[in-house]
Amino acid sequence: MACNICPRNCHIDRAAAAGFCGCSSVVRIARAALHYDEEPCLSGTRGSGTIFFSGCNLKCIFCQNMVLTDGTLGEVFSVPRLVETMLMLQTLGAHNINLVTPTPHRDALTEALRLAKKQGLSIPVVYNTNAYESVETIRAYDGLVDVYLPDLKYVDPRLSLKFSKASDYFDTAIRSITEMFRQVGPMCCDADGIAIKGVRIRHLVLPGCVYDTRAVLDAIKAHFGTDCPISLMSQFTPIPECTVKPLDRPLTAREYESALDYCMSLGFTDVFTQDLSSVGRSFTPPFSDHVEL
Ligand code: SF4
């Protein structure tokens, strides 16, 4: 069947060949574990039940999880194994099931989520995405996903083309995030501060690109209002594979403070921030071809 799951619209038969995302018709998982490096509303005290999918439809040249982007690393999971893994993470005490880069795996995931819920999955399901999604694919998750965690990476098409091979990133991401808001509204938390429903938009401040961060914040305010929960991330870390300037150096304290000042000046009411000790710190967990859980 010709794949049109995401805006790349490869129209290839993934049973015969991998698409732009690197994914064939099988689902590969490179890690499934309790994870403590997400925002406190997701990690809480017991961890986020994170499932890392192999393959990605953006191919950002600065990606911290670069080993996953070509879709070859990881163990093949059937739908029943996915269900079993979600239920196991719940048994281990996870606050949520956190699906990281799930985009190419819509058909297996929607089936697995339906089955897992029938078999007792009751914790929130988090869809953790680069937001380069088709609206139809996000609609397929209506009623299955509780929390959406989309990036909004760029406004400037020159940046999204150069860094992620997607000149139409901004318009596409805004449309998909609008559908996420239609389904679940802005993020809300329980009495312990743990996310139970809604959208939180993430933005990673890139070195030399604070002008675009300002444009991203302006766009969030214009489209979703100042009540929109935001995570403004400082954790950009240059990787050896990327020598493209200015992504070959860390973010400076001055750049992050400038982004943060602008965010606050716009009047956002729910902003998760990182301190500058996050700069250069590795948030990349160990990935493997053998998932132990
Ligand atoms: S999910 Fe992968 S194969 Fe399908 S359209 Fe997107 S990039 Fe292409």
Side-chain angles (χ1 to χ4, degrees):
M1 200 172 70
C3 185
N4 62 354
I5 284 178
C6 88
R8 296 283 177 198
N9 283 322
C10 297
H11 286 291
I12 52 124
D13 177 1
R14 283 170 46 185
F20 180 93
C21 55
C23 298
S24 65
S25 54
V26 300
V27 177
R28 284 187 190 276
I29 305 288
R31 183 171 170 82
L34 296 174
H35 190 62
Y36 297 89
D37 279 338
E38 305 285 20
E39 291 89 331
C41 63
L42 296 167
S43 292
T45 53
R46 303 192 305 268
S48 176
T50 308
I51 302 176
F52 286 90
F53 293 85
S54 191
C56 182
N57 66 341
L58 264 194
K59 309 273 187 267
C60 303
I61 59 174
F62 55 90
C63 181
Q64 303 294 295
N65 296 340
M66 187 66 89
V67 291
L68 297 186
T69 58
D70 73 1
T72 56
L73 184 70
E75 188 172 340
V76 174
F77 268 45
S78 62
V79 167
R81 177 106 188 263
L82 266 171
V83 173
E84 188 189 321
T85 302
M86 292 176 192
L87 294 171
M88 178 66 78
L89 287 165
Q90 176 171 268
T91 301
L92 290 173
H95 290 288
N96 45 61
I97 298 300
N98 184 352
L99 308 170
V100 183
T101 321
T103 310
H105 308 293
R106 179 194 64 195
D107 298 345
L109 263 176
T110 50
E111 186 185 351
L113 287 170
R114 278 193 190 92
L115 287 169
K117 283 172 189 265
K118 271 190 195 151
Q119 292 175 33
L121 184 72
S122 58
I123 54 179
V125 173
V126 181
Y127 191 90
N128 188 338
T129 170
N130 57 39
Y132 195 58
E133 301 268 7
S134 76
V135 169
E136 292 70 27
T137 287
I138 296 303
R139 277 198 195 121
Y141 287 96
D142 195 357
L144 295 173
V145 163
D146 303 283
V147 175
Y148 284 102
L149 203 59
D151 295 336
L152 188 56
K153 293 176 182 291
Y154 323 95
V155 169
D156 188 339
R158 292 168 303 176
L159 292 187
S160 60
L161 177 62
K162 187 172 179 186
F163 298 159
S164 298
K165 299 184 179 67
S167 60
D168 60 344
Y169 174 81
F170 174 71
D171 290 340
T172 303
I174 287 291
R175 280 195 295 272
S176 75
I177 297 171
T178 300
E179 169 60 19
M180 296 173 202
F181 266 97
R182 186 196 69 75
Q183 290 178 23
V184 294
M187 181 182 277
C188 54
C189 295
D190 66 14
D192 296 322
I194 302 298
I196 47 176
K197 193 177 178 190
V199 180
R200 171 175 291 274
I201 298 177
R202 281 176 164 174
H203 175 72
L204 176 66
V205 185
L206 296 175
C209 302
V210 174
Y211 78 94
D212 200 52
T213 290
R214 292 195 194 99
V216 165
L217 293 167
D218 286 339
I220 295 173
K221 180 173 177 175
H223 287 271
F224 308 114
T226 51
D227 291 342
C228 176
I230 297 178
S231 295
L232 194 65
M233 322 294 274
S234 67
Q235 68 188 55
F236 175 86
T237 307
I239 57 170
E241 296 91 328
C242 178
T243 53
V244 175
K245 291 186 184 309
L247 303 183
D248 58 345
R249 65 161 174 89
L251 187 71
T252 66
R254 196 179 174 135
E255 285 174 317
Y256 187 59
E257 282 159 10
S258 167
L260 201 48
D261 286 349
Y262 189 72
C263 181
M264 294 312 179
S265 77
L266 292 180
F268 285 104
T269 55
D270 182 352
V271 183
F272 169 75
T273 63
Q274 292 180 307
D275 61 39
L276 279 167
S277 64
S278 300
V279 174
R281 183 185 150 205
S282 175
F283 285 82
T284 307
F287 298 121
S288 153
D289 280 331
H290 301 286
V291 176
E292 290 175 23
L293 187 66

